[in-house]
Amino acid sequence: MIHASELRLDVVAAVVVPTVAAVLLLVLTGGAWHRLRRVARTLLVAVSAVAVLAAAGAGANLLGGFFPTVGSLIGSSPDPGEGSVADIGPDGAGLDAAMPLVAARSAQGLGSTLHMTLHGAVSGIDRDADVYLPPGYTEHPRARFPVVEWLPGFPGEPREVAALFKVPDVLDAAIAAHRIPPVVLVIPDINGEPRFGHDQECVDAQHGAADDTYLTTDLVDWTTRHLRVRPDRGAWALAGWSSGGYCAMNLALRHPRTYALAVSQSGYDRTPDDVVTGELFAGRPDLAAANDVVALLGERPAPLAMLVTAGSDEPEERAAADRIRAAAAPPVTVDTRLYPGGGHNQNAVRAQLPDLVDWLGAHLLGPLAPPATPAGVTIDDGPGVPQRVLPVPDP
């Protein structure tokens, strides 16, 4: 049986087929109009309209590079570990068994992306996740590495970051060129199943899933227990595209004792309220404000460095970046970047990734080999950073 992820949308045939079908239907409609009953006419017009819309959408998709397959359009994959080199099973139980492969790849200057399923003990959520271990991870067994949680967009999943955007390959190249220190990358599933029409925006929703808790408590706890990572906030960053960009900023502002950096690539500043997302906060304005980037910035949060980007063809994202820049004040710093011609699609994401990685490289603390501390590096493990007191959803 052919899976949706095997049906390509980024080929010329994906445009030609619906275009030919649309033309034939329009010709048929005109030629048979007077011989058809009213119901048949209505049906034929409706089918023709759908074919025209499909042809136009396929053409726009091919030019813009939005969705490479039907599976990516509906957020479905036959292989959630696509883009990884090994599966380490539930809660990473097979991590040790994968280390010889990680070491062999590291010797070639390559990082290793490992796939697992993670149970959130606090949130109760079970989802897929990918973990990238950088070159040098096995060669330096006492070193502790910085961490980036890279959040997919909607309706994406870990393979969007690993296989479609190829962020691990970008990191391999940047690490080899010394543009970023060796860094552990954790790529969680931020929505779970079903994907299409199920946008949860990484929040602890009123009477809904505790996504914030899963991403900032369960995932962080697993990472610090099972991987050799630095615990201090200056070594932890959040990054993401589109909804993942909003999530990165919102979660970093909500949890300042965990994260010191956030990268939003074409993100926005508040959760949408539409047919896909729904009303996540069930009419509670305190929860909405506690997940609003601009509102959180107005409360003078802990030191945080943010990179906020948008393309010149993204008016809503540009407006959000302007609002965020206007709301930010010390100790928060916001670097906003506008990319010419950048639209809300995978081509723009890939083109901008090297800049994002370079920014992270300039701000993240590097690997640390205890007990030595590199000259000029100040360890900040968070105790001096106040913990936000935030409203919580009703049980």
Side-chain angles (χ1 to χ4, degrees):
M1 182 178 178
I2 297 176
H3 192 275
S5 290
E6 300 175 70
L7 300 175
R8 306 299 306 184
L9 294 176
D10 55 358
V11 294
V12 174
V15 179
V16 171
V17 171
T19 299
V20 170
V23 171
L24 291 176
L25 283 167
L26 290 172
V27 171
L28 177 62
T29 300
W33 185 262
H34 296 292
R35 298 193 301 272
L36 297 175
R37 295 179 180 273
R38 178 177 298 178
V39 173
R41 290 177 180 176
T42 302
L43 179 61
L44 193 54
V45 168
V47 173
S48 299
V50 169
V52 170
L53 291 173
N61 183 70
L62 185 64
L63 291 173
F66 298 101
F67 303 100
T69 67
V70 174
S72 65
L73 173 63
I74 64 176
S76 174
S77 171
D79 178 15
E82 183 182 351
S84 63
V85 299
D87 194 308
I88 55 175
D91 295 323
L95 178 62
D96 290 344
M99 294 314 292
L101 173 61
V102 173
R105 291 177 56 84
S106 183
Q108 303 173 48
L110 300 173
S112 297
T113 303
L114 311 173
H115 179 259
M116 67 174 181
T117 53
L118 176 65
H119 170 70
V122 180
S123 66
I125 291 173
D126 294 275
R127 289 187 192 148
D128 293 291
D130 284 347
V131 174
Y132 165 89
L133 301 180
Y137 187 86
T138 51
E139 287 87 341
H140 303 282
R142 298 189 65 213
R144 293 187 173 273
F145 295 81
V147 183
V148 178
E149 286 183 49
W150 206 294
L151 310 176
F154 172 79
E157 54 190 308
R159 69 185 183 94
E160 173 191 87
V161 176
L164 182 59
F165 298 154
K166 300 187 182 300
V167 172
D169 293 347
V170 176
L171 283 177
D172 280 351
I175 292 169
H178 306 290
R179 292 170 19 230
I180 190 172
V183 58
V184 167
L185 187 68
V186 184
I187 313 171
D189 184 342
I190 67 173
N191 281 302
E193 299 285 357
R195 300 197 184 283
F196 196 70
H198 180 68
D199 182 13
Q200 297 184 178
E201 298 291 321
C202 308
V203 303
D204 283 357
Q206 174 79 336
H207 308 310
D211 292 289
D212 181 330
T213 300
Y214 179 75
L215 296 168
T216 64
T217 299
D218 293 327
L219 190 69
V220 171
D221 287 349
W222 184 91
T223 302
T224 53
R225 285 200 316 269
H226 293 88
L227 302 178
R228 286 184 286 105
V229 299
R230 294 184 62 156
D232 38 325
R233 64 186 298 270
W236 280 74
L238 285 156
W241 171 66
S242 191
S243 59
Y246 158 75
C247 292
M249 294 185 291
N250 186 49
L251 296 179
L253 287 163
R254 286 172 56 83
H255 302 280
R257 300 192 70 178
T258 302
Y259 310 99
L261 305 169
V263 174
S264 170
Q265 186 179 22
S266 297
Y268 37 88
D269 54 341
R270 64 178 70 92
T271 62
D273 184 359
D274 53 30
V275 66
V276 174
T277 307
E279 193 178 358
L280 294 168
F281 308 117
R284 280 189 53 179
D286 58 335
L287 288 181
N291 289 276
D292 184 308
V293 172
V294 170
L296 290 170
L297 284 168
E299 297 176 9
R300 300 295 183 267
L304 178 70
M306 297 170 57
L307 173 62
V308 182
T309 79
S312 60
D313 295 336
E314 297 179 298
E316 293 183 5
E317 290 79 2
R318 288 170 56 190
D322 290 341
R323 290 192 294 269
I324 291 166
R325 183 176 60 246
V332 175
T333 61
V334 176
D335 181 357
T336 56
R337 298 184 184 178
L338 180 66
Y339 291 93
H344 208 76
N345 58 67
Q346 61 174 316
N347 295 335
V349 172
R350 290 189 182 124
Q352 297 164 18
L353 278 176
D355 277 357
L356 274 60
V357 169
D358 286 351
W359 186 91
L360 285 167
H363 290 80
L364 270 174
L365 295 180
L368 179 66
T373 301
V377 171
T378 301
I379 302 300
D380 178 7
D381 58 4
V385 176
Q387 181 66 51
R388 281 189 180 275
V389 179
L390 298 166
V392 297
D394 297 332

